[in-house]
Amino acid sequence: MRVKTTLLIFGAMFLLTPNVYAETSAEALFEAKCASCHVKMRPSDISTLVAPPIMGVARHVKMTYRTKEEAVKFITEYALDPKESKAVCMPEKLKRFGLMPSQKGNVTKEELTTIAGWIYDNFANQGRGKGHGKACKDK
Ligand code: HEC
């Protein structure tokens, strides 16, 4: 009986751990694969940016793609195969930063699905559609 209970507790711990792990590892993946170019929040000095903050990217993605599924698909595909015709951000931003280099070889599709889901869940959750384009624009 005791052994069974202990096993059950360990079993439950094992089942619960991956969720916590998924959250931190998604952020760690973002840090490792994307943060060299994308900061999270818009800093006060934007002159040093080499890519739009992910917060602004998330806002634009959410303005265009209404469901998490579509948004995740877009981010995943864009990171592997960026094209100007696909971009949801402002044209000024493409002019300023240039097209994002493909991350193919740097990140897998599975990792991207994790990263994209994390971006969707953690950014631009309030005031959707407000402040149109600011974070992606030049100023
Ligand atoms: C080498 C620098 C660099 C890295 C690394 C990088 N990006 Fe980007 N990214 C950019 C630049 C520059 C832009 C703005 C131009 C554009 O939209 O293509 C951009 C734009 C984007 C956009 C907006 C596309 C749009 O609609 O215009 C998404 C989504 C995105 N990046 C996702 C990612 C993800 C996810 C990662 C990590 C796997 C990543 N990026 C890594 C440079 C980078």
Side-chain angles (χ1 to χ4, degrees):
M1 210 47 199
R2 284 269 299 259
V3 175
K4 245 187 185 167
T5 313
T6 312
L7 280 177
L8 258 171
I9 291 168
F10 274 114
M13 275 166 65
F14 182 74
L15 282 174
L16 289 171
T17 313
N19 280 328
V20 181
Y21 177 73
E23 187 60 27
T24 42
S25 79
E27 186 166 5
L29 271 176
F30 173 83
E31 296 287 349
K33 310 285 183 179
C34 317
S36 57
C37 294
H38 292 281
V39 298
K40 288 182 194 163
M41 303 296 180
R42 188 175 185 277
S44 50
D45 178 13
I46 61 165
S47 67
T48 56
L49 292 181
V50 296
I54 217 65
M55 181 180 92
V57 170
R59 181 159 60 218
H60 281 266
V61 170
K62 287 182 177 187
M63 277 167 9
T64 311
Y65 299 99
R66 291 298 181 181
T67 66
K68 181 174 177 177
E69 202 187 350
E70 286 174 316
V72 166
K73 186 167 177 273
F74 168 78
I75 295 170
T76 302
E77 283 175 2
Y78 195 88
L80 293 174
D81 184 24
K83 282 210 176 66
E84 212 170 320
S85 58
K86 288 188 198 166
V88 298
C89 285
M90 303 283 102
E92 292 91 335
K93 176 222 56 180
L94 276 159
K95 217 189 269 167
R96 175 176 169 192
F97 298 115
L99 192 68
M100 171 166 149
S102 170
Q103 296 305 299
K104 206 177 267 178
N106 176 37
V107 63
T108 66
K109 212 172 168 185
E110 288 69 35
E111 288 170 335
L112 274 168
T113 308
T114 305
I115 295 170
W118 175 80
I119 292 174
Y120 186 93
D121 289 340
N122 289 282
F123 294 92
N125 290 327
Q126 286 141 23
R128 183 191 259 193
K130 262 207 242 154
H132 186 97
K134 286 225 179 77
C136 283
K137 262 188 171 170
D138 253 328
K139 289 229 158 54

